[in-house]
Amino acid sequence: MAHNPNMTHLKINQPVTALPPLWVRCDSSDPEGTCWLGAEPIATNNSITGIDLYVVSCKADKSYSINLEDLKNSHKKRHHLSTVTARGFAQYELLKSTALDDTVPTSQTTITLDISWSPVDEILQIPPLSSTATLNIKVESGDPRSPLNRLHRELKFLLVLADGLRTGVTEWPAPLEAKSAVELVQEFLNDLNKLDGFGDSTKKDTETVKHDSAAFDRSIECLFTVRGDLDFAEQLWCKMSSSVISYQDLVKCFTLVIQSLQCGDIQPWLHSGSNSLLSKLIYQSYHGTMDTVSLSGTLPVQMLLEIGLDKLKKDYISFFIGQELASLNHLEYFISPSVDIQEQVDRVQKLHHILEIIVSCKLFIKPQHELLFSLTQSCIKYYKQNPLDEQHIFQLPVRPTAVKNLYQSEKPQKWRVEINSGQKKVKTVWQLSDSLPVDHLNCHKPDFSDLTLNSSLEERISFTNMVTCSQVHFK
């Protein structure tokens, strides 16, 4: 009333300072299920010329009945229009991770497909192939069901070492091996000694990996097990990362290794390009002279951290280059040894998250190689400029024809139609969703106990949501 210049009897001095939008939260107890009432001023040339009035309703309803033409006619009548347009939106939940049991926390991994199109032919129309579609991908590392679980365990141990190097306090995780680290390393060195001093028996010619589906699955399986071309330092990392439980273990294990090198009992082979202290000692041992190393302070922790970094970097390089998803030039930022060791750990952690994203997409939505390549490049670009963020949602535009098998026979998590005549705020919205769209209302939500695709979800409760807008003009 204060904004309405026709209310002269109120004797309000004009112009009036614009009031902020007013929204009233409701409890949906009325027959229409009203949950919000809103009023927002209409401004023209810095003056208030009217008010937009909004009504938002929400109901839990399995027997909803609505007709698209009725929605259009209602909008036309409310706003005195002769023509309107309808735009559709649908969201499909392709992947949702939930808790295995009470002891394992719920993963935040989700993959959804957003599709929009116009015109809309009917309520709950299946999006046409001419639509605009976007994949929304959020992946949390460390799901115990992931084929990358072994690699993630190695990464977590790497982070333990990095924290210990930075703070001076190391929280050693529980061992995965029954034997002690010292026993495992001694057996490893004995086995190498039996091979006439050369530790190259595990070196294997690896098959050239092409980016067909079977090769991709094999490459994932390689990460799930172990690469076939691990050098001495990488094998040592595998044994120590699964068994070391104390600083004393570190010192004893590296003492055994250095003594074997000094005595010439072993002459292990290494991949080229390593700058770790252990690698330098091994190269020196080839010539019969080695620097004296004092295994004290943080040096043993740094030695193990260095060989772990080298090993994980090669794991990621093997995957991304083998799948033709990235080149060495693309990966240079993540694998460069020219930054300090803590920054190297941070960048390797980013690279692992990219791998988790790619593998999750491959396993659950099976996109074509060009989509995986685009997604990889998008993730690489993001992480070159931003810190690690596993809550970040990566968006990838896709052609509906490339993902039609993911949604055409599925029920959308959310379906919406917006009816308007060109004005941004003046529209009628009707939405059907399987989750409560309003935070302050309490309704039963179904619970799912496994990681599933949309097609295997149980019957969902449906929520209908309606937004209408009416305009009051002062002149």
Side-chain angles (χ1 to χ4, degrees):
M1 292 175 68
H3 287 303
N4 191 341
N6 299 315
M7 298 293 174
T8 55
H9 61 284
L10 297 178
K11 298 180 180 181
I12 298 173
N13 295 327
Q14 300 288 340
V16 177
T17 302
L19 294 174
L22 172 65
W23 284 88
V24 179
R25 190 166 65 178
C26 307
D27 62 6
S28 288
S29 60
D30 62 311
E32 299 301 320
T34 305
C35 55
W36 284 101
L37 293 173
E40 297 186 357
I42 302 172
T44 305
N45 296 326
N46 297 322
S47 63
I48 304 302
T49 60
I51 298 288
D52 283 325
L53 300 174
Y54 297 92
V55 178
V56 182
S57 61
C58 179
K59 293 180 179 180
D61 190 359
K62 285 189 175 182
S63 58
Y64 56 86
S65 61
I66 194 74
N67 182 279
L68 181 60
E69 289 304 314
D70 290 343
L71 286 175
K72 288 182 178 181
N73 291 333
S74 175
H75 187 86
K76 288 179 184 178
K77 183 177 180 180
R78 188 180 301 111
H79 300 287
H80 311 290
L81 301 169
S82 57
T83 60
V84 294
T85 59
R87 184 165 188 82
F89 169 85
Q91 183 177 84
Y92 295 84
E93 190 175 74
L94 307 181
L95 172 64
K96 179 180 180 180
S97 183
T98 54
L100 282 170
D101 53 49
D102 294 338
T103 64
V104 181
T106 303
S107 169
Q108 298 301 308
T109 294
T110 58
I111 302 177
T112 60
L113 177 66
D114 289 351
I115 308 179
S116 59
W117 71 97
S118 185
V120 178
D121 298 329
E122 60 181 349
I123 295 294
L124 299 184
Q125 175 188 357
I126 297 174
L129 295 180
S130 58
S131 305
T132 300
T134 303
L135 281 170
N136 306 295
I137 305 156
K138 182 177 72 171
V139 175
E140 184 177 30
S141 302
D143 192 312
R145 294 161 290 196
S146 169
L148 300 177
N149 188 40
R150 178 198 59 80
L151 199 61
H152 185 258
R153 285 202 308 266
E154 292 186 36
L155 177 66
K156 286 199 298 183
F157 189 78
L158 195 78
L159 296 176
V160 166
L161 296 175
D163 287 342
L165 192 63
R166 185 178 63 254
T167 65
V169 179
T170 305
E171 298 289 340
W172 301 101
L176 300 176
E177 302 287 347
K179 292 183 179 180
S180 71
V182 175
E183 288 178 295
L184 289 173
V185 171
Q186 185 64 69
E187 289 178 359
F188 177 48
L189 296 173
N190 291 341
D191 290 342
L192 293 182
N193 193 18
K194 294 175 184 177
L195 296 169
D196 297 325
F198 292 88
D200 61 351
S201 65
T202 58
K203 189 173 182 179
K204 301 175 182 177
D205 293 330
T206 54
E207 179 185 358
T208 300
V209 182
K210 299 179 181 179
H211 54 258
D212 57 31
S213 179
F216 196 108
D217 292 338
R218 287 196 299 274
S219 66
I220 293 176
E221 181 64 22
C222 287
L223 290 172
F224 179 65
T225 54
V226 179
R227 271 190 297 117
D229 63 342
L230 298 184
D231 67 11
F232 171 81
E234 292 172 325
Q235 293 179 67
L236 184 64
W237 160 261
C238 290
K239 296 183 183 301
M240 293 181 66
S241 65
S242 61
S243 59
V244 168
I245 59 172
S246 69
Y247 178 81
Q248 288 72 26
D249 279 352
L250 273 185
V251 174
K252 291 177 181 177
C253 288
F254 281 127
T255 298
L256 290 173
V257 172
I258 292 174
Q259 287 175 347
S260 295
L261 291 171
Q262 288 173 334
C263 296
D265 293 337
I266 59 172
Q267 286 187 307
W269 72 273
L270 296 173
H271 290 300
S272 61
S274 174
N275 294 314
S276 70
L277 175 57
L278 181 62
S279 297
K280 292 176 182 177
L281 293 175
I282 292 173
Y283 290 137
Q284 289 174 358
S285 73
Y286 294 163
H287 305 288
T289 59
M290 291 173 55
D291 292 339
T292 300
V293 176
S294 176
L295 294 173
S296 59
T298 60
L299 185 62
V301 177
Q302 179 160 340
M303 288 177 65
L304 189 56
L305 178 58
E306 287 174 347
I307 63 175
L309 272 172
D310 283 346
K311 193 265 183 184
L312 290 180
K313 287 177 182 179
K314 287 185 175 65
D315 285 340
Y316 301 132
I317 290 171
S318 175
F319 180 87
F320 287 109
I321 293 182
Q323 286 303 306
E324 299 183 14
L325 296 173
S327 66
L328 267 178
N329 187 49
H330 293 140
L331 301 175
E332 175 61 27
Y333 167 84
F334 301 97
I335 62 176
S336 172
S338 61
V339 295
D340 70 75
I341 198 163
Q342 295 291 344
E343 177 64 21
Q344 289 185 56
V345 172
D346 290 343
R347 294 183 183 187
V348 162
Q349 197 174 4
K350 293 179 183 181
L351 202 53
H352 181 88
H353 188 222
I354 296 175
L355 179 60
E356 293 267 10
I357 292 168
I358 300 304
V359 169
S360 294
C361 287
K362 175 60 183 178
L363 290 177
F364 289 98
I365 64 177
K366 297 178 172 57
Q368 296 175 346
H369 180 264
E370 63 177 286
L371 288 181
L372 282 177
F373 179 83
S374 296
L375 178 58
T376 303
Q377 296 304 310
S378 174
C379 293
I380 287 174
K381 181 179 179 181
Y382 175 82
Y383 272 138
K384 283 182 177 180
Q385 302 169 349
N386 297 279
L388 178 71
D389 180 8
E390 295 197 350
Q391 297 305 307
H392 178 75
I393 298 175
F394 291 91
Q395 294 189 311
L396 181 67
V398 294
R399 296 190 306 273
T401 51
V403 292
K404 62 181 181 180
N405 61 307
L406 299 176
Y407 74 87
Q408 286 191 333
S409 61
E410 305 296 343
K411 179 182 175 182
Q413 178 192 18
K414 188 182 296 181
W415 194 97
R416 181 170 71 243
V417 61
E418 296 182 358
I419 300 170
N420 62 51
S421 56
Q423 297 184 57
K424 185 176 181 180
K425 289 189 175 183
V426 182
K427 58 187 176 183
T428 298
V429 180
W430 184 87
Q431 175 177 283
L432 179 71
S433 62
D434 62 15
S435 59
L436 190 62
V438 182
D439 293 337
H440 65 270
L441 299 182
N442 293 319
C443 291
H444 171 71
K445 295 182 181 180
D447 181 36
F448 305 104
S449 58
D450 201 1
L451 183 69
T452 109
L453 291 180
N454 186 28
S455 57
S456 62
L457 291 178
E458 301 173 12
E459 186 71 21
R460 295 167 169 171
I461 294 178
S462 297
F463 297 93
T464 57
N465 201 202
M466 184 88 161
V467 181
T468 60
C469 174
S470 299
Q471 289 190 318
V472 176
H473 296 282
F474 298 150
K475 295 181 182 179

